[in-house]
Amino acid sequence: MIKARGLFNNLYQPVEIEVDPQTNNVAYHAKSYSANDLHWGVPTNATVYGTALNYKGELEKMGDLLHNDPYKAPPKAPILYIKPLNTFTPHQSNIPLPSDVKELQTGAALGIVLKKTAAHVNASSAFEYIQGFTIVNDISIPHESVHRPAVKQKARDGFCPIGPWVVEADQLPNADNLEVKVYVNNELKQTNSTENLIRNIGTLIEDVTEFMTLFKGDVLLVGTPENPPLLKEGDQVQVEIEGIGKLENSVVAE
């Protein structure tokens, strides 16, 4: 069991718990529970920042498109976007499928949770600013363009499952090499690793805080792997990140 913080049942704020990332079991007040037997809330209510094109395979898949207008070259700084509060939804909740959309796109992401204000942070000291790590499913409506903010595709209600909990940073000594898996209806559809990030955790925090301040509770997503699985109505999706656990949600018609 490892140390984490979670918000569940009738609690008003996240509390200290112990979790087993392999079984998704939880220990609290000397009692053990299955995560799916508890009613979870989102373990953060601050800003969630997504990072685009930070997996090597994702950038390679773009190919010649990176050299087209308006950019004409691969990005030299992190490409960021915001998942607003309306998108937040917890473990075991439903992801709404809009009536005019046939499929949704998963976005398996490691979420870095900040524990204090971070501005102009050096990569070498970045982990001093991290409270812990959580699992995020950065849901979006499939789209091609990266030249304009995909607000309509990424910022729908319920398009950002988060949780179930936040694992304390010192419980994950090698967060730059965590296996990330996506299951759809219990079938493995995607496998990758944070080892394949273009900017690892320290470098990403350094590059982002060079031009913007992150605050306590903010969540910075490291990015999503290439070839994300697609989801249809009735599908159950599970994002599993090594050392953290499993985030499960179901797709239902809006």
Side-chain angles (χ1 to χ4, degrees), residues 1-43:
M1 303 289 278
I2 59 175
K3 295 179 181 179
R5 293 185 67 83
L7 178 65
F8 54 92
N9 290 2
N10 296 319
L11 297 172
Y12 292 102
Q13 60 185 5
V15 295
E16 293 183 1
I17 56 176
E18 291 187 326
V19 302
D20 183 339
Q22 296 290 332
T23 63
N24 246 30
N25 286 341
V26 181
Y28 179 63
H29 282 182
K31 293 184 179 180
S32 183
Y33 308 88
S34 167
N36 289 357
D37 292 336
L38 300 172
H39 181 69
W40 292 91
V42 175

Side-chain angles (χ1 to χ4, degrees), residues 52-67 73-77 79 146 196 198-199 224-227:
L53 303 181
N54 196 35
Y55 270 86
K56 295 173 183 176
E58 190 184 24
L59 193 65
E60 290 168 0
K61 188 178 178 181
M62 293 292 297
D64 293 338
L65 292 176
L66 292 170
H67 300 277
K76 296 181 175 60
I79 302 173
V146 296
N196 295 321
I198 295 170
R199 291 177 173 85
T224 58
E226 68 277 10
N227 302 318

Side-chain angles (χ1 to χ4, degrees), residues 37 94 112 115 131 183 204 209 243:
D37 292 336
N94 292 329
I112 307 165
K115 70 177 180 182
Q131 174 193 337
Y183 295 84
L204 180 62
T209 61

Side-chain angles (χ1 to χ4, degrees), residues 112 121-124 126-127 176 199-207:
I112 307 165
V121 174
N122 291 323
S124 59
F127 279 79
D176 281 318
R199 291 177 173 85
N200 64 16
I201 291 169
T203 302
L204 180 62
I205 291 175
E206 178 180 282
D207 288 354

Side-chain angles (χ1 to χ4, degrees), residues 228-246:
L230 296 176
L231 305 171
K232 303 184 299 296
E233 181 183 352
D235 284 346
Q236 182 189 62
V237 57
Q238 180 186 89
V239 179
E240 178 179 350
I241 298 185
E242 180 184 0
I244 301 179
K246 305 171 185 69

